[in-house]
Amino acid sequence: MAKTSVRLPPEICKKLESEVRKLGEIGGGTVTVSELIRACIVEHFPEISTRARKEKTSLAELRDEISQLKDRHILLARDVENLVQTLSEVLPLLATREQVDSLTDGIAAVLRSAKVR
């Protein structure tokens, strides 16, 4: 959210500061003029806060999805490394074209089923 500076007349500033002091005394904590203004905006323009909440929720969901994709990428890379290792061990042991075709058909079937998931 962009920051905006607003110049207020001295009497409004005094009124805001008075309200801030009252809220601080009631709540037992410190309250700033900015917090008071934000609370008024939220109260009088709820669509603004709703939009901001939706944006934050969407951003959190996007971060989660990116994290899941990263995890899946790591798993895929590991699986590919294992496949390459296994193939480098198995291919020299194959004696006939039928064995090679059978192996490639099996690999293709596994890849198709992984694509569906």
Side-chain angles (χ1 to χ4, degrees), residues 30-97:
T30 56
V31 179
T32 65
V33 172
S34 294
E35 291 170 338
L36 177 64
I37 292 171
R38 281 189 205 100
C40 289
I41 290 171
V42 168
E43 181 180 330
H44 293 287
F45 303 100
E47 66 277 358
I48 293 173
S49 63
T50 301
R51 186 174 354 132
R53 267 194 304 276
K54 285 180 183 176
E55 289 172 0
K56 285 181 183 178
T57 301
S58 296
L59 185 57
E61 290 172 354
L62 183 60
R63 284 186 180 134
D64 289 344
E65 191 167 335
I66 289 171
S67 176
Q68 291 172 2
L69 286 172
K70 181 181 174 185
D71 293 343
R72 287 173 41 198
H73 175 267
I74 291 169
L75 290 173
L76 177 62
R78 188 189 69 216
D79 290 346
V80 168
E81 283 181 31
N82 290 340
L83 176 62
V84 169
Q85 177 66 32
T86 302
L87 289 175
S88 66
E89 293 169 0
V90 170
L91 282 176
L93 301 176
L94 299 177
T96 67
R97 179 70 186 172

